[in-house]
Amino acid sequence: MHSFAPEILLITILSLVILSSALADRLKIPSVFILLIGSYLVYTYFKAAVPIDLTQNFTSVILFCIPLIFMGDALHLRFSDIKRHGWGIFYLAVVAVALSIAIGAMLYNFNIFSGLSLGAYVALFAINMATDAVSVQSVLSRFKGISHDIKVLIEGESLGNDATAVIAFFFIGLPWMLNGTIKPLDATFDALRVFGLSTIVGLALGYSFYMLMKLYSDKRGELFTFIVEAYAAYIIGEELHISGILTLIVAIVSTKAWIDSDLEQEESKKVKGFARMLRLGNIESTSKERLEYIYEMAKEFGYIASVVIFFALAEMVDFEKLWEYKAEILIMFTATTIIRALSMAKFALLGSKLEQIKPVGVEGWFILTFSGMKGALSIILVHLIPDSFKYKEMFESVTIGVVVLSIFVYGIILWAYFSFFKKEQKSKLFKH
């Protein structure tokens, strides 16, 4: 007798995607709300629809889903947007996240989470400061009135934020938490080493795949090239003991940036320079029409991969444990929200004083603050903590609680704002 478990799971996932999208369109609400609730209901009351134990095979699920999730997000960043908002994205994705984790770790002095070491505080806040681009896009795509510039900052911050959080977790928080001590200089050097090598390897892979795409002109082939690049970059990064996620992001973003640069120069009919000759800019890598197809397909692949993670989350939800750790969940959710609000306020203040960072105003601060929804990466990171760690159950419960609260609370706040208080069409959030 054959087992049709993989086919049944695929039918369940795709059916839930179809249903959540249809209901979201009809009810005018973000599809991620229905997706989360639907995943839990299906797993709880229709177990036959999920015949594979995703938590038992969670490591394999992670390895399969991560490249698809981050590839779709990285492809949305345009070269012109990176040039325009590069410093803003760097602050939000690197400086703000590092400072936020440091501020969160300072709560160790108040013994808010009894029994945790300082390293455990760093690890816990690194896990819970990682935002989820898929959840953010699911919510924000429903609303009008958000300028292109603010979306660029949100997308860029979501990607870079994840890379920074991963490095802080794996190379500082986790070893500090498990070993009980860490040498600050060694940890800093290791983090910088990982950041630098991941960037270099990512750029090299990005250039290689960019040149590879000049060998053919087929939208399906170009889409599959990006998918291969995402998986290859992640695997190579992990095998080299650097950050697979950062390597992946840099590779995809750089390939896309070189493609965008070619398309922009082709439109403006600029004279070829040495850099353009070096990358054979006169040979087309893709076209705008084919790129739009790649965008849409990559977005769908990433969305489906996120659904798989949500199913795994549904299996991990235990309301008795969540209730047992309700105080810790509320403290972490409140602390991360306040820290993010202060961090975004600092960004808004810098924007009014520094020419390199575009000012966002009060409304931009509000949207940036509540676009900090958590999701797949937080679940992935907390799962990778060794079972031998004494407080793993608490970490898992707190993280799951924060993920669910951030999606629903932040999502409802943004939904209410754009549904009832801001009904006009697109408006400028940036002051020029």
Side-chain angles (χ1 to χ4, degrees):
M1 184 69 179
H2 295 292
S3 171
F4 295 102
E7 291 86 348
I8 293 172
L9 181 61
L10 181 61
I11 291 171
T12 301
I13 290 171
L14 294 180
S15 298
L16 190 58
V17 169
I18 295 168
L19 180 62
S20 63
S21 296
L23 285 176
D25 286 335
R26 186 62 63 93
L27 300 175
K28 307 298 181 186
I29 61 175
S31 60
V32 70
F33 294 172
I34 302 172
L35 204 54
L36 265 177
I37 296 172
S39 298
Y40 179 77
L41 291 177
V42 168
Y43 174 74
T44 304
Y45 299 105
F46 304 97
K47 288 186 179 293
V50 191
I52 297 176
D53 188 342
L54 294 177
T55 52
Q56 185 177 352
N57 301 282
F58 200 61
T59 301
S60 298
V61 171
I62 289 170
L63 294 176
F64 178 76
C65 291
I66 282 180
L68 294 178
I69 291 172
F70 284 94
M71 178 192 71
D73 299 334
L75 281 172
H76 277 80
L77 284 178
R78 299 179 185 275
F79 180 59
S80 57
D81 293 329
I82 295 174
K83 287 193 296 183
R84 177 176 171 75
H85 297 293
W87 285 109
I89 292 173
F90 177 78
Y91 172 83
L92 291 172
V94 180
V95 178
V97 179
L99 289 175
S100 297
I101 294 172
I103 293 171
M106 290 172 63
L107 296 177
Y108 166 78
N109 296 310
F110 300 95
N111 197 32
I112 291 177
F113 301 113
S114 180
L116 294 188
S117 65
L118 181 56
Y121 272 80
V122 173
L124 185 58
F125 274 90
I127 291 170
N128 286 279
M129 292 308 298
T131 57
D132 182 64
V134 174
S135 298
V136 172
Q137 286 300 320
S138 173
V139 172
L140 295 184
S141 63
R142 289 282 159 193
F143 307 134
K144 296 178 180 179
I146 304 178
S147 75
H148 174 72
D149 290 319
I150 206 72
K151 286 184 177 180
V152 169
L153 285 176
I154 291 171
E155 290 170 357
E157 187 251 348
S158 296
L159 279 172
N161 172 308
D162 291 345
T164 304
V166 165
I167 291 174
F169 174 75
F170 279 114
F171 296 95
I172 299 177
L174 188 62
W176 193 352
M177 177 176 74
L178 297 180
N179 299 329
T181 182
I182 195 172
K183 295 180 180 179
L185 286 178
D186 289 346
T188 302
F189 176 78
D190 203 27
L192 291 174
R193 176 190 64 83
V194 169
F195 184 86
L197 288 177
S198 299
T199 301
I200 292 170
V201 174
L203 286 172
L205 287 170
Y207 179 78
S208 300
F209 278 89
Y210 161 72
M211 296 299 289
L212 179 64
M213 290 178 67
K214 293 179 178 290
L215 300 178
Y216 42 84
S217 300
D218 171 71
K219 62 183 181 181
R220 188 183 295 110
E222 290 164 3
L223 170 64
F224 290 163
T225 299
F226 274 116
I227 294 174
V228 171
E229 179 181 7
Y231 278 101
Y234 182 70
I235 293 171
I236 291 172
E238 292 298 311
E239 286 296 318
L240 293 176
H241 301 292
I242 52 180
S243 173
I245 289 178
L246 181 56
T247 305
L248 184 163
I249 291 171
V250 173
I252 298 294
V253 169
S254 59
T255 299
K256 175 64 167 40
W258 280 314
I259 291 173
D260 286 341
S261 179
D262 284 349
L263 293 175
E264 287 175 11
Q265 291 186 26
E266 185 179 309
E267 283 185 356
S268 61
K269 298 180 180 179
K270 288 184 178 179
V271 179
K272 291 189 297 183
F274 176 73
R276 182 171 169 80
M277 290 177 62
L278 189 64
R279 61 176 192 265
L280 304 179
N282 59 316
I283 302 177
E284 184 185 69
S285 52
T286 188
S287 65
K288 281 196 169 183
E289 292 72 22
R290 298 201 299 273
L291 209 51
E292 287 300 323
Y293 166 82
I294 293 169
Y295 287 154
E296 290 303 314
M297 293 303 296
K299 184 172 67 175
E300 295 307 321
F301 279 128
Y303 193 71
I304 291 171
S306 292
V307 176
V308 176
I309 298 293
F310 282 143
F311 265 115
L313 173 61
E315 293 191 55
M316 294 169 70
V317 170
D318 184 331
F319 282 108
E320 289 186 5
K321 289 182 180 178
L322 293 180
W323 183 254
E324 180 182 347
Y325 292 105
K326 60 183 181 298
E328 288 86 349
I329 292 171
L330 290 174
I331 289 172
M332 176 57 72
F333 176 69
T334 303
T336 52
T337 301
I338 292 173
I339 290 172
R340 183 172 178 86
L342 292 174
S343 178
M344 295 304 110
K346 178 67 174 176
F347 175 73
L349 182 63
L350 287 175
S352 65
K353 294 184 176 181
L354 297 178
E355 185 179 346
Q356 294 88 343
I357 297 178
K358 308 298 180 184
V360 298
V362 175
E363 186 177 45
W365 163 80
F366 175 83
I367 295 172
L368 285 168
T369 295
F370 291 106
S371 64
M373 284 163 269
K374 316 302 185 286
L377 184 60
S378 295
I379 301 301
I380 289 168
L381 293 180
V382 77
H383 177 80
L384 294 177
I385 295 175
D387 292 334
S388 58
F389 179 59
K390 180 180 178 182
Y391 297 99
K392 182 172 181 178
E393 181 182 286
M394 189 270 275
F395 271 52
E396 287 183 334
S397 298
V398 168
T399 300
I400 291 170
V402 170
V403 167
V404 174
L405 281 176
S406 68
I407 290 175
F408 282 101
V409 175
Y410 292 0
I412 289 173
I413 288 173
L414 289 173
W415 172 79
Y417 175 71
F418 284 100
S419 298
F420 302 109
F421 298 101
K422 185 179 175 64
K423 297 184 179 181
E424 66 268 22
Q425 297 298 311
K426 281 188 178 181
S427 60
K428 294 287 184 181
L429 290 180
F430 287 87
K431 304 165 189 175
H432 298 286

